Amino acid sequence: MTFAVKGLAVTKGIAIGRAVLIGSSHMDVAHYFIEPCQVESEIARVASARDTVADELRRLQKNISNAPRKDTPPELIAVLDVHLMLLEDTMLADGVKTLITDRLYNAEWALITQLEVVVRQFDEMEDEYLRERKADLEQVVDRILRVMLGQVPVLANKGELPEPINVQETQVLRPGHDDPLVLVAHDLSPADMLQFKQSVFKGFVTDVGGQTSHTAIVARSMGIPAVVGARLASTIIRQDDWVVIDGDGGVVVVNPSTMLLEEYGFQQRERELEQSRLTRLRFTPCMTVDGLHIQLLANIEQPADTEQALKVGAVGVGLFRSEFLFMGRHSKGLSPLPDEEEQFKAYKTAVEGMKGLPVTIRTVDIGADKPLERMAKEDGHLNPALGLRAIRWSLSEPTMFLTQLRAILRASVFGKVKILIPMLCSASEIKQTLALIQKAKDQLDASGQSYGVVSIGAMIEVPAAALTLPLFLKHFDFLSIGTNDLIQYTLAIDRADEAVSHLYDPVHPAILQLIANVIREGARLGKEVSLCGEMAGDVTLTRLLLGLGLTSFSMHPAQILSVKKEILRSDRGQLQELAQQVLESENPYEALGWLK
Ligand code: PEP
Ligand code: MG
C-alpha cells in the first residue's frame, strides 16, 4: 500500500531506494560497512557466537535434566528447546549472510536487521502462538549479540511459555544486490551521521530533528535528499520497503505506485541535469552584476571535506566544526578526547588540503545536540542548549582547550589559519579566551615550536553578543554570524525540536535587525563579517543578505554553486533599498517577494 509521511525538508532533491532501518531495534549496536575482504570473517563471527550460545543452552539443558531442582519450572526445558531450534534454523543465518555479503553490513548490524525482517514475518502470522514466538527470537538474537560484544549470555525469563514451532514456514529476506538504499531512523546523532557520510545511502529520513539540528546540518553536507522530523516514519516504514524521499516537499512516499515512481524518476533526472549545469560556474568569479566581489566559503566537519570545497570553487573554509574530531570516538575504539598530535594532524591536513586558501578553525563547540559520549551519559540537564556548551565548556576545561589551541597554532605554519570562538557572551569570557590563546602561544615558544600569524574571530550567535558589538569589534579581528544559534536563542526555539520548527524564522524582524546591525558595524570599523549559519546556503535568502550588505557567505560545499548562481544575477545597488524595506516590513515573507 502506498502512503506518505510528512516531515521537514533538509536537502533538496529526490532519492529513491529501499529502506534501511537503523537503531529501530531495542538493541543498540554499531552500524558500519565492512570491506569486501572482511565478509568471511564477519560471517564467521556470527557463526561462532551462535555456536557459543548453542553450547551454553545445551549445557544448561543437561544440568537441569541431570539434577532437577524443585523450583525449576517444567517449561524451562522446553524454552531452551525452542531457543535451540531457532538458533539452528537457517532463517536467521541465511539472511544475515546475505546482508553481510551483498550489503557489506557489519555482523551486528546484519543480525538485528534480519531479526526485524523475521519478526515482521512472525507478526503477520495468523496463528497467535507463532506470533508470540517472536519474543523467543529476540532473546536468541540478544544472546548472540552479547557473545559478540564480549558479554556473558543471559538466561531467558522464566515466565515465557515454550512449545516447538515450525520455523521453516518463515521466509528469508533476500535483498536485491544492486538496489539503492536510503536510511530511516528514529534519530541519528551528528556523529552517527558523519560515519555514514562516505556511505552508499542515497537519502535519509529521521523521526525527530529540526531543520538546523546538527544531524540535519551534517546530512546537508552530504548533499543527499533528506527529510527530518517525520515523526513516526521509523515505526511505519519497514525494513526493505521502497521509499521515495522528496527533499523539496519534505515528504516521504512509501511503496510508491509505478506511476508515482515514474514521476519522481523524471524529477530526479531533471535535478541531475541542473546540477551538472551548475558545475560550469565553478571557476566563474563570484561577482554581482554591479561588480561587487562576494566571498563564498565552505563549512566543513572533517579535513577530507576540503576536497569537495575546492571542487565547487570555495575560496576558503569559513567554518571547520572541530567538535566532530571529539565525537563518536568510543565506537571507533579511540581515546575519549583527541590529543594534541591527533588534532594537529587533522588541522594540518585541512590547511594543506585548501592549498594556500584560508581555513577558519572553530574551537570545539561541544554540548547541546553535539554531546561528548561521556557527557551524553552523565547529562541530566534540562536545557543543554543553555548549559555548558562551546566556549563555556572550553573555559571549564583549560587543559583540553590549551591542547586544542596549541594544535591549531602549530597547523598555521602550513597555511593561512584563522581561529573562531563559538558562543561568546561577555567581556569576562572574551578576556579569559584571549588570555588562554596567549598562554598557548607562550607554551609553544617555551618548547621551541613554531606557529604563524593567526587572526582571531568571534561567533555572533547569542543576542547578548549581537547587542554588545563594540566589545567584540574591539577585541577580535573578524566576526562570523552563527544564525542557527542566533535564531534559536533570540526566538527561544530549540533548533533540534521538530515540535517548534514552524516557529524557527530566519526572517523574523528581530533576527534581520541583529544581522543588519552586525554587518553595518563591522563594515564601519573595517572588520570582516561573515555569515556561517544555514541561512548562508539558503538561495531564497541570498538576495536579502546581499541587500543587507553581506559580502562573505560560508556554507556547505553542496550549496555553493546554487548560491553563486543567485549572486551572479543580482545587482547589489538595487537590492539595498529593497532589503531595507524587508527589514522594516511587518510581513517579511511577503516583502521577500519584492527581492525576486
Ligand atoms: C550557527 O550557530 O549558526 C553555527 C554556524 O554553528 P553551529 O550550527 O555549529 O551551532
Ligand atoms: Mg552555533
Side-chain angles (χ1 to χ4, degrees), residues 460 481-488 504 515 531-535:
I460 303 298
I481 311 175
T483 48
N484 304 335
D485 279 313
L486 190 60
I487 298 169
Q488 154 162 273
Y504 195 91
I515 293 175
L531 191 149
C532 64
E534 295 301 291
M535 277 180 85

Side-chain angles (χ1 to χ4, degrees), residues 283-557:
F283 296 119
T284 311
C286 188
M287 204 190 286
T288 59
V289 173
D290 49 339
L292 182 74
H293 273 281
I294 304 293
Q295 182 167 243
L296 295 186
L297 304 162
N299 289 357
I300 65 169
E301 280 98 31
Q302 289 171 307
D305 296 341
T306 52
E307 197 184 317
Q308 203 203 346
L310 287 183
K311 238 188 223 160
V312 294
V315 295
V317 168
L319 174 66
F320 177 176
R321 289 183 162 99
S322 69
E323 54 275 14
F324 282 89
L325 299 173
F326 290 66
M327 292 153 61
R329 298 179 63 83
H330 179 68
S331 51
K332 291 186 217 143
L334 298 170
S335 57
L337 294 177
D339 64 18
E340 184 174 330
E341 276 320 294
E342 184 186 334
Q343 289 191 60
F344 165 67
K345 275 190 199 135
Y347 305 141
K348 177 172 174 271
T349 308
V351 171
E352 289 180 335
M354 286 309 286
K355 303 188 188 330
L357 295 169
V359 176
T360 310
I361 302 173
R362 180 175 70 182
T363 59
V364 62
D365 183 5
I366 277 297
D369 65 340
K370 291 178 292 189
L372 282 183
E373 276 152 327
R374 72 175 150 113
M375 268 182 169
K377 285 192 198 86
E378 290 160 12
D379 199 358
H381 303 287
L382 287 179
N383 291 309
L386 304 179
L388 199 60
R389 187 190 156 184
I391 191 62
R392 301 172 182 183
W393 183 63
S394 296
L395 293 177
S396 73
E397 302 261 352
T399 309
M400 177 287 301
F401 194 35
L402 282 166
T403 304
Q404 176 169 44
L405 291 170
R406 285 193 306 271
I408 300 176
L409 287 166
R410 284 171 56 199
S412 68
V413 172
F414 301 89
K416 206 167 165 200
V417 170
K418 297 159 102 177
I419 295 180
L420 181 60
I421 312 293
M423 218 186 157
L424 284 165
C425 260
S426 66
S428 123
E429 282 172 350
I430 294 175
K431 216 167 121 191
Q432 290 176 68
T433 303
L434 296 178
L436 283 167
I437 294 174
Q438 187 52 51
K439 187 165 176 184
K441 287 182 181 172
D442 294 345
Q443 289 174 338
L444 290 177
D445 289 338
S447 60
Q449 287 175 290
S450 40
Y451 51 89
V453 178
V454 174
S455 49
I456 313 291
M459 288 200 70
I460 303 298
E461 52 183 351
V462 281
L467 294 169
T468 52
L469 273 182
L471 180 71
F472 285 79
L473 288 162
K474 179 175 158 202
H475 290 288
F476 292 98
D477 303 314
F478 68 98
L479 303 179
S480 187
I481 311 175
T483 48
N484 304 335
D485 279 313
L486 190 60
I487 298 169
Q488 154 162 273
Y489 296 127
T490 307
L491 303 183
I493 290 158
D494 184 344
R495 61 192 270 195
D497 183 353
E498 73 281 0
V500 286
S501 64
H502 60 291
L503 301 173
Y504 195 91
D505 183 4
V507 296
H508 188 292
I511 304 299
L512 293 184
Q513 279 171 31
L514 290 176
I515 293 175
N517 190 41
V518 180
I519 296 171
R520 193 173 44 241
E521 287 306 294
R524 203 169 59 81
L525 295 183
K527 297 253 166 126
E528 184 192 319
V529 173
S530 177
L531 191 149
C532 64
E534 295 301 291
M535 277 180 85
D538 182 344
V539 284
T540 64
L541 301 175
T542 307
R543 287 161 71 76
L544 172 63
L545 293 173
L546 279 175
L548 294 179
L550 190 70
T551 53
S552 177
F553 296 61
S554 191
M555 68 201 80
H556 285 296

